[in-house]
Amino acid sequence: MKYRCIVCAYIYNPQDGDPESGIEPGTSFEDLPDDWVCPLCFVGKDQFEPC
């Protein structure tokens, strides 16, 4: 499942991960570190919703 940042609309896609932040492809949103932030606007995971 993909998750969308409610602040800037960035989409976290588990298939892609977030290589710039060291997040490997295949990492589910739930398995992201608690201190992970949106790579575009830097808000926390609590500002994301399923999409």
Side-chain angles (χ1 to χ4, degrees):
M1 177 181 299
K2 297 177 184 177
Y3 281 77
R4 181 179 67 86
C5 176
I6 62 175
V7 175
C8 74
Y10 169 80
I11 302 291
Y12 176 76
N13 183 346
Q15 282 187 310
D16 299 333
D18 181 11
E20 291 180 11
S21 297
I23 305 299
E24 294 289 324
T27 302
S28 71
F29 186 81
E30 294 80 8
D31 290 337
L32 291 171
D34 290 338
D35 61 352
W36 181 84
V37 295
C38 176
L40 298 183
C41 70
F42 309 107
V43 297
K45 289 172 58 177
D46 61 332
Q47 298 297 306
F48 280 73
E49 64 185 8
C51 63

